[in-house]
Amino acid sequence: MSAGRPAFSPAVQRASSARNKNRRKGNPTHNGYMAVPSGSRGEMLDMMEEEESELEMMLSSNCFQVTMAGLILLNAVVIGLETDVTSFPYWDTIENAFLIVFTAELALKLYSQGIAFYFS
């Protein structure tokens, strides 16, 4: 044992030597310590990253942005009509539909970008 280094239990020493033996460089599914076997958590994480990147691409696409901008403008028109045509019985239903769509957009963006994105 060298001076200045803490003494580890034999189990920790074995795990450390196993990590060093199994270390692989350049493998994208490698977690830095042990090789990730095929068909396991590593592939699931890769699939989740692909889904998230597709979601991010959809959320940042021009088509999605134009659709959401159109819905915002339509919501403004509906709010204006609500003040003039108060006898229409379906204003609450229409407003709730807008609320659901805008909440879904927010939830998708929070899922794909994370909450830290909005506070950084």
Side-chain angles (χ1 to χ4, degrees), residues 4-93:
R5 295 186 69 189
F8 292 108
S9 70
V12 172
Q13 291 173 354
R14 282 192 302 272
S16 177
S17 65
R19 278 196 303 270
N20 291 334
K21 287 179 188 174
N22 291 325
R23 199 162 288 223
R24 294 182 188 169
K25 293 182 180 174
N27 184 352
T29 60
H30 181 57
N31 64 9
Y33 293 102
M34 306 266 302
V36 178
S38 165
S40 67
R41 184 172 175 246
E43 286 183 3
M44 288 177 54
L45 290 174
D46 288 344
M47 288 173 44
M48 287 173 60
E49 287 175 3
E50 287 177 16
E51 289 175 11
E52 288 180 24
S53 64
E54 289 176 9
L55 178 62
E56 287 179 16
M57 286 175 33
M58 185 212 50
L59 292 174
S60 63
S61 71
N62 285 337
C63 181
F64 185 82
Q65 296 294 324
V66 168
T67 301
M68 293 311 295
L71 285 173
I72 291 169
L73 290 174
L74 185 60
N75 191 21
V77 169
V78 166
I79 290 171
L81 288 173
E82 259 183 309
T83 59
D84 289 338
V85 185
T86 57
S87 61
F88 187 66
Y90 300 107
W91 289 129
D92 288 337
T93 305

